[in-house]
């Protein structure tokens, strides 16, 4: 009978040691909230880029400009179409990486919910926390670049809203 008690205590100890601590649970909850917030930001940014690229096409189609609009952007001579295309490519590539990392967040959430937490999960939690912070900083930079590009190309998202209402 003593052997069963020792075995039961050992199994219970193993189960408790594999479960995430309250601190890890809170860190994961915070990560999930930050992840959702960052996802919303990148969706919004992607929509803004699409809206402004559309405005540029409408502007060209309406004859407001027959040539590509030449601008000085980030210290280089370029044109609006090329810069919007470059920005669109950067965001699309970011979204692909973000989706892959989102699967890791889902995996961590699943592991926590079933009580199966490993050292690798600890490492992934730290890495994903750094990734979301880095991604937020990148999105802020892209937002600033988009605002600058919009001004240099004579576009604004307000014009898109007005045009949509007219149609």
């Amino acid at each position: 009978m003593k052997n069963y008690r020792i075995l039961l205590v050992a199994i219970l100890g193993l189960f408790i040691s594999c479960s995430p601590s309250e601190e890890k649970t809170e860190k994961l909850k915070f990560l999930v909230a930050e992840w959702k917030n960052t996802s919303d930001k990148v969706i919004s940014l992607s929509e803004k880029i699409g809206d402004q690229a559309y405005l540029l096409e409408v502007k060209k189609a309406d004859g407001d400009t027959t040539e590509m609009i030449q601008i000085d952007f980030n210290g280089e001579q370029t044109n609006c179409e090329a810069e919007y295309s470059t920005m669109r490519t950067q965001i699309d590539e970011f979204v692909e990486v973000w989706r892959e990392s989102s699967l890791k967040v889902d995996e961590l959430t699943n592991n926590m919910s079933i009580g199966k937490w490993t050292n690798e999960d600890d490492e992934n939690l730290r890495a994903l926390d750094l990734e979301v912070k880095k991604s937020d900083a990148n999105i802020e930079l892209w937002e600033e670049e988009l605002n600058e590009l919009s001004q240099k190309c004579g576009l604004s998202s307000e014009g898109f809203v007005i045009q949509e209402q007219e149609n």
Side-chain angles (χ1 to χ4, degrees), residues 148-163:
E148 180 184 347
L149 183 60
S150 174
Q151 290 174 357
K152 290 191 178 209
C153 294
L155 303 174
S156 71
S157 56
E158 292 170 2
F160 181 72
V161 171
I162 292 169
Q163 188 165 10

Side-chain angles (χ1 to χ4, degrees), residues 80-99:
C80 293
E81 292 86 348
E83 286 304 317
Y84 276 104
S85 177
T86 299
M87 192 171 278
R88 166 59 52 204
T89 300
Q90 289 173 339
I91 297 301
D92 289 347
E93 289 171 358
F94 172 83
V95 167
E96 285 303 313
V97 171
W98 192 251
R99 282 185 183 143

Side-chain angles (χ1 to χ4, degrees), residues 62-81:
D62 287 347
D64 290 346
T65 181
T66 55
E67 302 174 6
M68 292 187 182
I69 302 170
Q70 296 296 316
I71 59 169
D72 180 30
F73 190 69
N74 291 333
E76 297 179 17
Q77 276 295 329
T78 186
N79 64 63
C80 293
E81 292 86 348

Side-chain angles (χ1 to χ4, degrees), residues 7-18:
L7 182 62
L8 182 61
V9 169
I11 291 173
L12 185 59
L14 181 62
F15 179 73
I16 291 173
S17 68
C18 290

Side-chain angles (χ1 to χ4, degrees), residues 28-158:
L28 182 59
K29 285 180 184 178
F30 185 73
L31 173 68
V32 169
E34 278 187 300
W35 205 268
K36 182 181 179 335
N37 186 37
T38 302
S39 296
D40 291 344
K41 286 179 188 177
V42 78
I43 289 169
S44 175
L45 176 63
S46 180
E47 289 172 352
K48 287 177 189 175
I49 292 169
D51 290 350
Q52 290 181 18
Y54 174 77
L55 277 174
L56 189 60
E57 289 300 316
V58 168
K59 192 174 183 178
K60 284 180 66 176
D62 287 347
D64 290 346
T65 181
T66 55
E67 302 174 6
M68 292 187 182
I69 302 170
Q70 296 296 316
I71 59 169
D72 180 30
F73 190 69
N74 291 333
E76 297 179 17
Q77 276 295 329
T78 186
N79 64 63
C80 293
E81 292 86 348
E83 286 304 317
Y84 276 104
S85 177
T86 299
M87 192 171 278
R88 166 59 52 204
T89 300
Q90 289 173 339
I91 297 301
D92 289 347
E93 289 171 358
F94 172 83
V95 167
E96 285 303 313
V97 171
W98 192 251
R99 282 185 183 143
E100 291 172 18
S101 296
S102 293
L103 295 175
K104 294 176 186 174
V105 173
D106 291 343
E107 184 179 333
L108 287 179
T109 304
N110 184 51
N111 288 352
M112 183 165 287
S113 68
I114 62 174
K116 179 188 149 205
W117 194 263
T118 65
N119 288 337
E120 185 179 337
D121 292 329
D122 287 335
E123 292 169 13
N124 287 337
L125 181 61
R126 282 189 294 275
L128 291 167
D129 185 53
L130 290 173
E131 184 176 341
V132 78
K133 288 178 172 91
K134 180 181 171 188
S135 296
D136 266 345
N138 285 339
I139 291 169
E140 285 181 32
L141 288 173
W142 283 325
E143 285 278 355
E144 291 171 12
E145 285 181 8
L146 181 61
N147 289 335
E148 180 184 347
L149 183 60
S150 174
Q151 290 174 357
K152 290 191 178 209
C153 294
L155 303 174
S156 71
S157 56
E158 292 170 2

